[in-house]
Structures are given as structure tokens and as C-alpha cells.
């Protein structure tokens, strides 16, 4: 039996008691282990293998092979000095290598004999240990049982961890399902709220149209009263009365223009922030918007610039120009205007 062993290729061995490691190709002997049983276990598993001398590689071509040496060269050769020197050097090198090979072969034979003897001694030691070592066998059985117990404990641990992971996964899936259900309920509630707000806005729009219609009726009634007052004022010759009539005519014309614009069809275009209102070039007469925030009028308003209004006011696009030269403006629709006719005496008293 061989007394020299090495660690198998691709394997690392750790001795149980000392913790010493042997890597692939390193020499290893039974003496490196606390028990023969442990060594034999690794040997039986193929992790330790007997050492074997590698096959000698064929020698590389010698330097002299490059030359074409003619051993029959003599003094009559074309270049006797050069060729003879090369031949002699070649012969010397060949004799030296032969002696070296003979010495190496003898050393190898001696080493092989020594190894054979060592293998025989080792086999005898191993056989003796196994024959006399019932305790060793018991220890080996105990170690095997310990390994089995360790494997069982590891399998139990893996099973417990797998069960825990499965429970965590199921809990996570349930959480995702609950969140998805909650999201759907919130979406349904939001849709219901949007529908309710839309209905509220539509009702508010209808109420606004009704209020505008009532305001238009009131203004028409006021126009009739003003016309009646003007007919009475026409019979007066007093210059003050004439001035009042001119003033009343101006009021009538203004109210007539306003009545015409108010009675025009409005189109509710939605609710916007003041900053998000479209420009007057992009709207048409009758376009109506609800302003969600408070604002201050600009020169684009019929009311002029600098007037402040609270949030929720409605504004409409009106034409303050003529057919030839239209002038688009925003008109704030806030509340109603009541007009009470004045008697002649009351009008005269205003100028006296």
C-alpha cells in the first residue's frame, strides 16, 4: 500500500479536532488525523487519493537537433574545424545526459522500494487498528450518528424556516388583497362624490339661468316705467327738466344695452381659478364661467380695474362695442338691480 497520499483535485479537507486544512494536491498522511477511522473515511470517499508519480514528459528537442551533424566529418570536410567542434560538444552533452538519466533512474527505483515498504507498514498499522479497535468502531458509529442527528436538525430547521416563509408570504398576499379592496371602495366613493358634485353644479347652473331670466324681466319692467317717465318729462319745458330727461334717456339707453346683453343666451363653460381664465380672444359672447377664488378686476372688465370680488362669482363675456367694432369684456354677474321710478317732483327736487 502506498504510504504517500494527496488531497484529491478540487477538494479541501479539514481535520476534525485540530481544524487544520489541506487543499487539493497537498501531501497528507494518516498521522495528520486524530483517528485512523477519519482518515479511512476520507480515503473511502475519494477525497484522499494515493500519490502517483506523473508520467515524465517527453524531452523537448535538444539544442543539437537544430544542427545537421555529420558524424563522418574529418579533416577533409569543407569546414573541418567548425563541424568537428560541434560534434565533440554534442557527444559530451549526450554522455552527460545519459549519466544523469542513469542516476535519476536509480534514485527512482530506490524511492519506489522505500514507498512499497512504507505502504506495507501502513497497511499493517491500519489492519491492526481495525482488528484491535472496537472502540474506534464505536467512535466511528457515534460520529456517524452525530452527523445523522445534525442532518436531521438541519432538515427540521429548513422545514421550520420554509413554513415561516410560507406564512409570511400568505400574510403579505392577504395584505395586498385587503389594500386592493380598500382602493376599490375608495374609487367607488370618489366616483359617487364626483356624480353628486356634478348634479349640484348642474342644479346651480339651472338656478343661475332662472335668476338671469328674472333679472331680465325686472329690467324690462323698469324700462317701461322709465319710458313712461320720459313721456311725462317731454311735456316739460323747463331746462332743468330737459336735463333730467337727457339723464333719464342716458340711463334708459344703458339699461337697454344691459338688458339686451343679459337676455342673450349664456353658455356655462365650467368653474376655473381666476388665473386659469381664457383670454378674451379665445371666448365668445355668452360664455359664462364660475370663478372659484377671490380676484380683482382688470381693464378687461366692464366694471373697470381694481374692484375686488369674493370667490364663487360668475362672470360672462359680453360685447361692449358695435357690429363694426366689437369690444369684448368680462361682466361680473353679481346680484340684482332694483329700479324705482321717480315722480316729477322728486326729479325737480334733485336739481333745486
Amino acid at each position: 500500500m502506498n504510504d504517500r497520499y494527496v488531497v484529491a483535485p478540487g477538494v479541501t479537507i479539514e481535520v476534525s479536532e485540530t481544524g487544520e486544512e489541506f487543499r487539493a494536491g497537498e501531501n497528507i498522511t494518516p498521522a495528520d488525523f486524530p483517528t485512523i477511522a477519519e482518515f479511512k473515511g476520507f480515503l473511502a470517499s475519494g477525497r484522499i487519493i494515493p500519490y502517483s508519480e506523473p508520467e515524465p514528459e517527453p524531452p523537448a528537442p535538444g539544442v543539437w537537433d537544430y544542427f545537421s551533424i555529420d558524424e563522418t566529418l574529418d579533416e577533409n570536410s569543407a569546414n573541418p574545424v567548425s563541424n568537428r567542434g560541434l560534434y565533440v560538444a554534442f557527444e559530451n552533452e549526450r554522455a552527460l545526459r545519459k549519466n544523469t538519466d542513469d542516476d535519476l533512474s536509480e534514485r527512482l527505483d530506490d524511492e519506489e522500494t522505500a514507498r512499497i515498504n512504507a505502504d506495507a507498514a501502513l497497511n499493517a498499522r491500519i489492519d491492526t487498528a481495525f482488528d484491535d479497535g472496537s472502540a474506534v468502531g464505536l467512535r466511528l458509529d457515534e460520529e456517524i450518528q452525530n452527523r445523522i442527528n445534525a442532518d436531521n436538525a438541519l432538515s427540521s430547521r429548513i422545514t421550520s424556516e420554509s413554513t415561516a416563509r410560507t406564512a409570511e408570504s400568505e400574510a403579505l398576499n392577504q395584505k395586498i388583497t385587503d389594500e386592493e379592496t380598500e382602493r376599490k371602495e375608495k374609487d367607488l366613493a370618489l366616483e359617487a362624490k364626483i356624480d353628486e358634485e356634478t348634479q349640484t353644479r348642474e342644479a346651480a347652473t339651472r338656478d343661475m339661468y332662472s335668476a338671469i331670466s328674472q333679472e331680465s324681466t325686472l329690467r324690462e319692467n323698469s324700462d317701461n316705467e322709465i319710458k313712461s317717465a320720459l313721456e311725462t318729462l317731454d311735456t316739460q319745458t323747463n331746462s332743468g327738466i330737459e336735463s333730467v330727461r337727457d339723464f333719464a334717456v342716458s340711463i334708459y339707453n344703458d339699461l337697454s344695452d344691459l338688458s339686451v346683453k343679459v337676455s342673450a343666451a349664456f353658455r356655462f363653460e365650467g368653474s376655473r381659478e381666476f388665473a386659469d381664465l381664457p383670454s378674451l380672444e379665445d371666448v365668445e359672447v355668452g360664455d359664462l364661467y364660475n370663478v372659484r377664488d377671490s380676484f380683482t378686476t382688470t381693464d378687461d372688465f366692464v366694471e373697470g380695474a381694481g374692484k375686488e370680488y369674493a370667490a364663487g362669482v360668475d362672470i360672462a363675456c359680453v360685447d361692449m362695442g358695435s357690429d363694426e367694432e366689437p369690444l369684448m369684456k368680462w361682466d361680473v354677474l353679481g346680484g340684482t338691480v332694483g329700479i324705482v321710478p321717480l315722480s316729477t317732483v322728486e326729479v325737480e327736487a334733485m336739481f333745486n
Side-chain angles (χ1 to χ4, degrees):
M1 181 176 180
N2 198 344
D3 65 339
R4 185 178 177 186
Y5 299 88
V6 294
V7 180
V11 175
T12 299
I13 292 178
E14 180 179 351
V15 179
S16 60
E17 292 187 2
T18 63
E20 184 179 2
E21 287 189 355
F22 293 87
R23 302 184 183 278
E26 291 187 4
N27 293 329
I28 190 167
T29 66
D32 294 320
F33 293 86
T35 64
I36 294 297
E38 184 175 359
F39 171 79
K40 279 199 167 186
F42 285 118
L43 185 63
S45 66
R47 302 179 70 183
I48 295 177
I49 59 176
Y51 175 81
S52 61
E53 287 288 343
E55 292 293 332
E57 296 181 0
V63 175
W64 302 109
D65 292 343
Y66 178 78
F67 300 95
S68 177
I69 304 299
D70 185 359
E71 298 182 5
T72 62
L73 292 176
D74 53 23
E75 295 179 356
N76 297 323
S77 299
N79 190 358
V81 176
S82 175
N83 284 283
R84 176 59 60 185
L86 291 174
Y87 177 75
V88 171
F90 173 75
E91 286 296 326
N92 291 336
E93 175 73 13
R94 185 166 59 181
L96 178 61
R97 290 191 179 181
K98 183 177 184 304
N99 294 333
T100 302
D101 291 342
D102 292 340
D103 293 340
L104 179 60
S105 177
E106 184 177 353
R107 286 174 56 195
L108 290 175
D109 291 340
D110 294 340
E111 185 174 347
E112 182 64 22
T113 301
R115 286 181 182 172
I116 292 173
N117 295 333
D119 286 345
L122 179 61
N123 286 332
R125 287 173 55 195
I126 292 174
D127 293 339
T128 301
F130 269 92
D131 291 339
D132 300 336
S134 58
V136 174
L138 292 175
R139 183 175 177 182
L140 179 61
D141 292 339
E142 182 180 356
E143 184 174 350
I144 293 173
Q145 186 61 43
N146 291 336
R147 293 289 177 88
I148 293 174
N149 294 338
D151 290 342
N152 292 337
L154 179 60
S155 298
S156 177
R157 182 179 176 184
I158 292 173
T159 301
S160 299
E161 291 184 358
S162 177
T163 302
R165 293 289 177 85
T166 301
E168 291 177 359
S169 178
E170 291 176 353
L172 180 59
N173 290 335
Q174 184 61 41
K175 184 178 179 181
I176 293 174
T177 301
D178 294 342
E179 290 181 355
E180 184 66 21
T181 302
E182 185 179 356
R183 291 279 179 87
K184 290 181 179 179
E185 292 176 353
K186 289 183 178 180
D187 290 343
L188 292 175
L190 180 60
E191 291 177 359
K193 185 176 180 181
I194 292 174
D195 292 340
E196 181 181 357
E197 185 174 349
T198 301
Q199 294 175 2
T200 302
R201 291 290 177 86
E202 291 176 353
T205 302
R206 289 193 297 269
D207 293 342
M208 181 184 64
Y209 286 154
S210 177
I212 292 173
S213 178
Q214 293 176 4
E215 183 176 356
S216 177
T217 301
L218 291 175
R219 292 197 178 182
E220 289 178 359
N221 295 335
S222 298
D223 290 345
N224 293 331
E225 294 175 357
I226 292 174
K227 288 180 180 179
S228 178
L230 288 175
E231 290 175 356
T232 303
L233 289 175
D234 284 341
T235 60
Q236 306 296 327
T237 59
N238 185 279
S239 60
I241 298 302
E242 290 293 333
S243 298
V244 171
R245 188 188 68 174
D246 293 339
F247 178 71
V249 170
S250 176
I251 293 176
Y252 171 75
N253 291 334
D254 291 341
L255 290 176
S256 296
D257 292 340
L258 183 60
S259 176
V260 171
K261 291 175 175 58
V262 170
S263 61
F266 286 100
R267 294 177 300 278
F268 182 65
E269 300 294 336
S271 182
R272 303 277 184 91
E273 299 288 337
F274 182 74
D276 297 333
L277 288 173
S279 63
L280 289 171
E281 289 79 4
D282 298 330
V283 295
E284 298 179 356
V285 174
D287 287 352
L288 179 69
Y289 290 88
N290 175 261
V291 183
R292 290 198 294 260
D293 56 343
S294 58
F295 64 94
T296 303
T297 60
T298 63
D299 291 335
D300 291 336
F301 282 77
V302 174
E303 293 76 11
K307 293 187 178 182
E308 297 181 354
Y309 289 90
V313 173
D314 296 326
I315 64 173
C317 176
V318 297
D319 184 1
M320 300 301 295
S322 61
D323 294 338
E324 293 79 11
E325 295 182 4
L327 179 61
M328 310 296 279
K329 292 281 187 178
W330 291 115
D331 187 11
V332 179
L333 305 179
T336 58
V337 177
I339 299 177
V340 179
L342 301 177
S343 65
T344 302
V345 176
E346 290 173 331
V347 173
E348 290 178 349
M350 293 173 60
F351 294 93
N352 292 332

